[in-house]
Amino acid sequence: MSSTAHDLAAPVSSLAHEVMQPHRVDDVDIDMLRRHMTVIRRKVLAGQYVYRAGQPFHSLFLVHAGFLKSCELAQDGREQVTGFRMRGDLVGVESIGLGHYSCDLVALEDSELWELPYPPVLLACRELPQLQTRLTTALAEEIRRDRLWMLSLGTLSAERRVAAFLFDVAQRHAALGFSPRHFILRMGRADMGSFLALKHETVTRALSRLAELGYIAVQRREVRVLDTAALARLAGQGVAVH
C-alpha cells in the first residue's frame, strides 16, 4: 500500500451501446470475505494515491465510496487518464500477472476502499462463487471498455465524445441507484480531456455547445441532463436512461 494512503458521431450505435452499458454492481459480502482472508479498510483523501505504477502488486481494491482516476505516463511524460472508478468497481485487475501495478490510482475526492490481498483472493474464489464471478466480470469489463473507448475516440467528433462520456456517467449513476439526470462531475475539464484525447478548451466548448442545443445544463461541475434521448442519439446510443 502506498505510504500516501491513510487508514482513516459516425454510425457507431452498436459500439456506443457496448461502451455505455451500465456497470454491474454486485454486492460482495465483506464479512464472508473476512472468513477467508484479511480484508483491510482503506481511506484515502482527495489527491492521495492508492498505488503508483511500478510498485509491487499485492492487492485488488473494491471501491466502497468515493471517486478515483487511473492514469499512466504518456511517452512525452504527460499524465494520461485511463479511467474513472466509483463505488462497486474492482480495481487493480489490470495489473494481475505483472508483479507490479501498471498505472497510478489516485482519489479525486475522499474515498474508501476494501483491500483484498492477492493471491489470497484467488483462494477465496474457490469457496465464494460470487467472488469468482465478480473478478472475472471485472477483468472482462476492463478489456471491453479499453477496446471500445479506444475505438470510440478514433471515430467520434469532440462533441460526440463528450456526449458519450456524459451518457456513460449517467448510466453508471443509474446502475448505482442515483439520478442519471442530475449529477456532479468529480473530475475537472483537464482530466476529462485527457481521457477523451481532447484539449481542455475543446471539452469546455463541447459542453457549452451541448448546453446551447438544450441537451444539458451545466454549471461548473454540476450537470443536468435535459434531453436524454437527444444526448443518447448524439452519443450514438439509441436507448435512453430512465
Side-chain angles (χ1 to χ4, degrees):
M1 182 69 179
S2 169
S3 60
T4 56
H6 294 271
D7 291 349
L8 303 169
V12 292
S13 57
S14 60
L15 171 65
H17 179 76
E18 289 185 71
V19 169
M20 292 170 287
Q21 286 299 301
H23 279 217
R24 290 185 56 179
V25 185
D26 300 327
D27 291 332
V28 175
D29 190 330
I30 296 299
D31 289 334
M32 185 174 292
L33 280 178
R34 282 181 168 144
R35 300 174 190 170
H36 302 275
M37 72 182 80
T38 300
V39 178
I40 304 173
R41 177 187 179 191
R42 299 290 188 187
K43 289 189 176 182
V44 290
L45 303 179
Q48 291 183 324
Y49 288 83
V50 179
Y51 53 74
R52 303 294 299 264
Q55 289 183 332
F57 171 71
H58 56 79
S59 299
L60 302 177
F61 296 86
L62 180 66
V63 181
H64 179 66
F67 203 92
L68 308 96
K69 68 176 178 180
S70 56
C71 47
E72 302 178 9
L73 284 182
Q75 291 184 347
D76 59 5
R78 290 181 298 108
E79 180 185 87
Q80 175 68 51
V81 176
T82 57
F84 298 101
R85 315 302 180 187
M86 56 197 300
R87 184 168 73 83
D89 286 346
L90 187 64
V91 293
V93 293
E94 73 286 337
S95 302
I96 291 176
L98 294 179
H100 63 272
Y101 289 105
S102 62
C103 62
D104 296 342
L105 182 68
V106 58
L108 293 176
E109 63 180 8
D110 293 355
S111 303
E112 181 177 320
L113 305 93
W114 294 99
E115 181 178 348
L116 311 178
Y118 193 92
V121 68
L122 292 183
L123 300 178
C125 286
R126 299 177 182 176
E127 304 295 330
L128 303 173
Q130 68 270 34
L131 180 61
Q132 176 68 57
T133 299
R134 191 73 175 83
L135 180 59
T136 53
T137 297
L139 284 165
E141 285 182 349
E142 187 77 22
I143 295 169
R144 283 196 300 268
R145 289 182 66 84
D146 284 351
R147 176 178 63 87
L148 294 169
W149 271 117
M150 180 181 67
L151 292 173
S152 257
L153 298 185
T155 56
L156 298 178
S157 66
E159 286 181 14
R160 285 175 177 260
R161 291 184 208 179
V162 173
F165 181 80
L166 293 178
F167 197 84
D168 183 43
V169 172
Q171 288 274 58
R172 296 175 74 176
H173 276 80
L176 289 171
F178 302 136
S179 172
R181 297 178 178 273
H182 181 205
F183 48 84
I184 303 295
L185 294 173
R186 304 301 178 182
M187 74 296 293
R189 305 292 193 264
D191 282 341
M192 283 181 62
S194 177
F195 179 69
L196 296 172
L198 298 172
K199 293 182 179 179
H200 173 280
E201 298 81 2
T202 304
V203 171
T204 300
R205 285 196 298 269
L207 288 170
S208 297
R209 178 57 178 162
L210 293 177
E212 291 174 1
L213 292 170
Y215 297 171
I216 64 171
V218 57
Q219 185 174 11
R220 296 184 180 179
R221 296 191 182 188
E222 181 180 5
V223 175
R224 292 182 181 274
V225 179
L226 305 178
D227 191 335
T228 305
L231 185 67
R233 285 194 299 271
L234 186 62
Q237 166 64 276
V239 181
V241 181
H242 298 290

